[in-house]
Amino acid sequence: MMGEFKHPPQEKQKMSSTKKAGYSNPAFAAMGIPALRLPGPKWCAFWLVVGAGIAGVVYDKREQRRICKHYSSLVKDQGAAHMDTWLKPRRLTVFVAPPPGDYLETSMKVWRRYVKQVLFEAGLDYEVFTEERQGVIRHEVAERVRQLRRDIAAAEAAEQRALDEKRWLNRMRSWWRREKLSEEELERIRAQKFRDEFTYKQLLGVFYKNAPLREQKVWDADALVEDPVLAGGVICIGRGAYKEYIAGIHEGTLGPLDPPTLTPEAPTELSAAAEDLTQAPEQPEPSAAAEALKQAPEQAEHSPAEPDSAATDAPDEKSNNAPAPPPAPYVSPDEYSSLSLSQELVGDVRHPSSHIPALFHQPLLVIPVPNLSGFLQTPRKIYRFYTRRYYAEECCKAAAAMVLQTIRPFQPDDLNLGISEEEDWPRRWVEQGRERKSEWVQDLKADPRVIAELHVVDPALMADLAATMNLN
Amino acid sequence: MFGLGGQPQLSSQQKIAAAEAELDLVTDMFNKLVSNCHRKCIDMNYNEGDLNKNESNCLDRCVAKYFETNVKVGENMQQLGQNFSPGKF
C-alpha cells in the first residue's frame, strides 16, 4: 500500500527531470560539466527583460560616447594648433538657466556632458554664467551692453579731453600748475606710479630680464578678427536663457542707461513684479513671501517649504537672507518700436580698450533642455532615457557648429529656437507664471533693428561644411 | 603717526628684510605653481617647441585655480592665526 502511494510522486520527479534533460555529450560528461539546459519559461522572460533593459542603456551610452568623440574629432585640429603666448583664445559666453520646475543641475549636466567636451577639445575659452532665478540673465546681458555703451561714451569724452589738452594755451596752463608741485608731492606721485605699474613680471619667471617679452601686449583673439561676427560666441542653454538673452539685448541697446524712476500710478506691464516687491512691507507677510518668489516660480516649485519658512521669519531677516530679486527691465517689449537705437551702437561696435566686439555681434547658439517632470510622464521619460543619443548628437553637433562658425544672419523665425522645449514645461507652472507675469511664459518680442545685428549658429549648415572638408 | 599708527614704525633695514621675506614667499609659490601646472598641462613628449591651444588653455586655468586656492587658504590660515589662543584649538 505504502509503496503504491509513493510511486506516483517519484514518477513525476522522473518526468520533470527528463523534461530538463538539456544538451550534453560524453566529452562534457567526462569533464564533469552538467547538462546545459535553458531555465524555465518564467526565468527566461525575466532575464530577457533585464538583459534588454541593460543592453539598451549600454548601447545608448556607447553611442553617445561615439557621437561626442566624432564631433570632438572634427574640431580637434583647432585645439592642437599653435598659439602664441601673447594671444588669448576665443572666448565664448555661456548662459545656463534651469528648466522650469527643476534644479540648475539638470541644465549643467547637458553643458558638462555634451557641450563643454567639444569646446574643450577645440581649445576655446568659455565663461559660464548660471542663475537659478528668472530675470538675472536678462539683467546681466543688458548690463553688459549698457557698460559697453558707458565705456564708449567715456572713451569718447577722454579723447575729447586729450584734444583739448593738446591746445597750446592749455598746455601752458598745465605746465604752470605742475611747476607748483612741491618735492614731497612729486615723490608721492612717483611712488604711486611705481606701485601702480609694479608687477611681479619684473622680478620673476620668463619675463625677468626679458624686456621685449614683458612689454608685449596681450591680445584677445576675438579682438583681432576683422568681421565681428566671427568673434567669440554666445551659447544659451535652455529656452528660458534664450528668452532672457534676447530681452536683455533689447533692454541694453534700446533702453536708457540708468534705471527709470518707477511711478506707482502707471506701472508698465513687466515692472509690475518689482512694483509689488517695493510695496511688499505693507502687505500681510505670506503674500509678501509669495511676491518675493514671483521672480522665480521655478524655485517656488521645487522648494515648497521656502514660502512657509520665509513667512514665519521677520520681514527684516527675510530680506537679509533671500538674495535681492533682479531689477525690473528698464523697458517693456511693447515700447521697443517707440525707442531709438542708441547712437554708440552703430556699425561695428567694439569695446574701446579691449577691442572685443559687442555681445550682440557674436553668433548665438541655443541648446534646448528637454525636461519632463511629473509621475505620469514616466513612460515618456523612459523612452527619452533610452534614446538620449539623438539629443546628444544634437548638442554635440551644435557645439561643433559653434566652434566651426557655421553662421547665418538672424531671421525672425529664429525667435522660436528651442521652442520644442516649451512643450515639456509643466502646465501648472506655466499658468502660475502667467499669473505672476513671468518673463519666460510671455511671447518673445523683438525689434527688427536689433535683430538685424544678430547672427545665429546653424548646425544644419555643418553638413555642407563637412562635405567640402571631405572633398578637400 | 597722527594717532593712526596701528603699526609700529619700521626701520629701513626691517622694511628690506620684510620685502625679502615676501619675495621669498612669492618665489616659492611661483616655483611650485610652475612645476604643478607643467606636470598637469604640458605633454612630456615635447613633440613641438611651442604651446598649442589646449596646453595654453590648460595652463591658464591651472594658474587661475592655483592662485585662487592659494588666496583662500591664506585667508583661512590668517583667520586661524588671529583666533588662535594657546592651549585651545
Side-chain angles (χ1 to χ4, degrees):
Chain A
M1 285 284 276
M2 293 276 279
E4 273 180 30
F5 272 114
K6 268 187 181 172
H7 191 67
Q10 273 177 357
E11 207 164 51
K12 245 185 203 169
Q13 269 180 5
K14 263 185 196 167
M15 275 183 68
S16 64
S17 68
T18 49
K19 228 189 227 172
K20 282 190 189 170
Y23 171 78
S24 186
N25 66 30
F28 279 12
M31 283 190 287
I33 294 173
L36 303 170
R37 56 172 76 98
L38 272 178
K42 283 181 184 170
W43 276 111
C44 278
F46 172 73
W47 286 122
L48 203 71
V49 170
V50 170
I54 293 173
V57 177
V58 170
Y59 174 71
D60 191 54
K61 293 272 171 205
R62 237 172 64 178
E63 281 295 292
Q64 282 180 34
R65 216 167 301 139
R66 190 187 59 77
I67 287 164
C68 284
K69 227 172 164 180
H70 169 68
Y71 285 105
S72 298
S73 70
L74 280 186
V75 299
K76 216 165 211 162
D77 296 345
Q78 290 204 11
H82 161 81
M83 195 168 85
D84 289 310
T85 44
W86 51 268
L87 201 65
K88 282 195 216 164
R90 186 178 150 207
R91 191 178 174 85
L92 307 181
T93 317
V94 186
F95 294 107
V96 189
D102 210 337
Y103 294 100
L104 182 64
E105 192 55 28
T106 318
S107 302
M108 287 304 280
K109 244 184 222 166
V110 173
W111 154 248
R112 248 182 260 127
R113 279 194 193 161
Y114 308 125
V115 184
K116 186 178 165 185
Q117 199 179 342
V118 176
L119 301 186
F120 175 81
E121 290 289 347
L124 297 188
D125 197 5
Y126 39 78
E127 179 195 353
V128 184
F129 186 86
T130 61
E131 189 47 64
E132 292 258 4
R133 295 166 299 154
Q134 282 188 31
V136 176
I137 292 176
R138 181 214 7 102
H139 180 69
E140 171 71 15
V141 172
E143 197 49 49
R144 282 187 194 188
V145 177
R146 282 194 289 260
Q147 190 56 45
L148 176 69
R149 281 167 60 185
R150 280 186 210 117
D151 288 347
I152 290 174
E156 276 169 5
E159 207 173 313
Q160 192 59 39
R161 221 179 306 129
L163 277 178
D164 286 347
E165 271 173 20
K166 265 185 193 157
R167 277 188 218 144
W168 184 78
L169 188 72
N170 290 338
R171 218 188 296 166
M172 274 298 284
R173 198 178 290 153
S174 62
W175 178 76
W176 175 247
R177 264 200 213 123
R178 199 176 298 149
E179 196 68 349
K180 292 208 291 192
L181 284 174
S182 69
E183 196 61 33
E184 274 172 33
E185 276 173 348
L186 265 179
E187 189 63 32
R188 197 175 48 76
I189 289 169
R190 275 197 213 113
Q192 186 63 42
K193 185 164 175 281
F194 179 79
R195 244 175 269 138
D196 289 345
E197 288 174 357
F198 177 79
T199 61
Y200 278 106
K201 271 184 179 184
Q202 295 160 11
L203 297 175
L204 286 173
V206 286
F207 300 104
Y208 184 47
K209 292 186 178 174
N210 195 348
L213 201 60
R214 194 166 60 223
E215 304 304 330
Q216 172 71 53
K217 194 174 180 294
V218 175
W219 283 96
D220 281 282
D222 294 335
L224 299 178
V225 294
E226 267 177 37
D227 188 356
V229 170
L230 295 178
V234 178
I235 301 180
C236 296
I237 297 186
R239 168 86 176 152
Y242 175 57
K243 279 188 162 177
E244 289 196 25
Y245 175 75
I246 292 287
I249 288 288
H250 280 82
E251 189 188 328
T253 49
L254 297 172
L257 278 178
D258 301 308
T261 47
L262 296 172
T263 49
E265 288 82 23
T268 55
E269 192 188 331
L270 264 177
S271 60
E275 289 280 321
D276 290 336
L277 269 181
T278 55
Q279 293 166 4
E282 299 160 20
Q283 292 171 342
E285 267 174 49
S287 71
E291 298 287 353
L293 286 162
K294 185 175 262 186
Q295 295 280 351
E298 79 269 38
Q299 277 191 333
E301 286 264 325
H302 62 60
S303 56
E306 209 172 28
D308 301 338
S309 63
T312 49
D313 285 345
D316 292 353
E317 273 182 11
K318 185 181 65 199
S319 61
N320 285 341
N321 291 338
Y330 295 3
V331 290
S332 87
D334 303 324
E335 298 170 347
Y336 286 164
S337 51
S338 63
L339 294 163
S340 60
L341 205 63
S342 70
Q343 275 308 304
E344 300 97 357
L345 304 178
V346 178
D348 177 1
V349 186
R350 288 169 187 249
H351 191 270
S353 59
S354 69
H355 296 285
I356 295 176
L359 203 61
F360 48 81
H361 282 317
Q362 303 183 6
L364 171 67
L365 174 69
V366 183
I367 293 175
V369 183
N371 182 48
L372 293 165
S373 57
F375 178 72
L376 290 179
Q377 302 281 7
T378 308
R380 289 178 71 198
K381 277 187 197 168
I382 291 174
Y383 174 74
R384 282 193 190 174
F385 178 72
Y386 279 107
T387 53
R388 193 108 176 128
R389 55 186 175 278
Y390 300 114
Y391 177 62
E393 171 140 35
E394 201 185 312
C395 294
C396 292
K397 192 174 180 181
M402 174 52 108
V403 173
L404 300 173
Q405 297 174 311
T406 53
I407 292 165
R408 62 172 170 75
F410 194 97
Q411 283 146 10
D413 282 351
D414 290 329
L415 288 176
N416 292 335
L417 282 173
I419 202 163
S420 59
E421 189 193 322
E422 285 196 24
E423 290 165 17
D424 292 352
W425 288 6
R427 221 169 297 139
R428 239 181 53 212
W429 182 88
V430 174
E431 273 167 28
Q432 225 170 5
R434 287 234 171 78
E435 275 169 32
R436 294 170 173 181
K437 298 200 173 63
S438 153
E439 293 168 41
W440 283 30
V441 296
Q442 285 164 12
D443 282 340
L444 197 51
K445 284 180 193 156
D447 187 84
R449 289 165 297 170
V450 179
I451 278 185
E453 300 286 333
L454 297 176
H455 283 73
V456 288
V457 171
D458 193 350
L461 300 175
M462 277 266 289
D464 311 338
L465 191 83
T468 52
M469 274 166 82
N470 284 340
L471 280 179
N472 299 334
Chain B
M1 216 182 216
F2 305 122
L4 299 169
Q7 288 183 333
Q9 275 294 341
L10 293 172
S11 70
S12 58
Q13 280 297 324
Q14 280 169 317
K15 273 184 191 166
I16 288 171
E20 274 178 353
E22 194 192 329
L23 190 62
D24 275 355
L25 213 70
V26 172
T27 313
D28 189 41
M29 194 201 79
F30 178 80
N31 286 341
K32 278 184 190 162
L33 180 148
V34 167
S35 70
N36 273 326
C37 290
H38 178 262
R39 199 169 52 226
K40 182 175 191 286
C41 294
I42 307 290
D43 183 15
M44 296 295 179
N45 289 327
Y46 298 111
N47 291 328
E48 282 176 14
D50 295 320
L51 289 178
N52 67 29
K53 264 188 199 169
N54 276 335
E55 282 169 345
S56 16
N57 274 341
C58 177
L59 282 176
D60 203 15
R61 286 174 196 141
C62 176
V63 171
K65 280 179 193 169
Y66 199 96
F67 267 113
E68 207 165 310
T69 317
N70 211 46
V71 167
K72 284 215 167 108
V73 170
E75 275 172 6
N76 271 333
M77 293 292 277
Q78 217 166 17
Q79 224 168 18
L80 269 182
Q82 276 170 2
N83 298 335
F84 179 73
S85 54
K88 245 192 328 186
F89 187 66

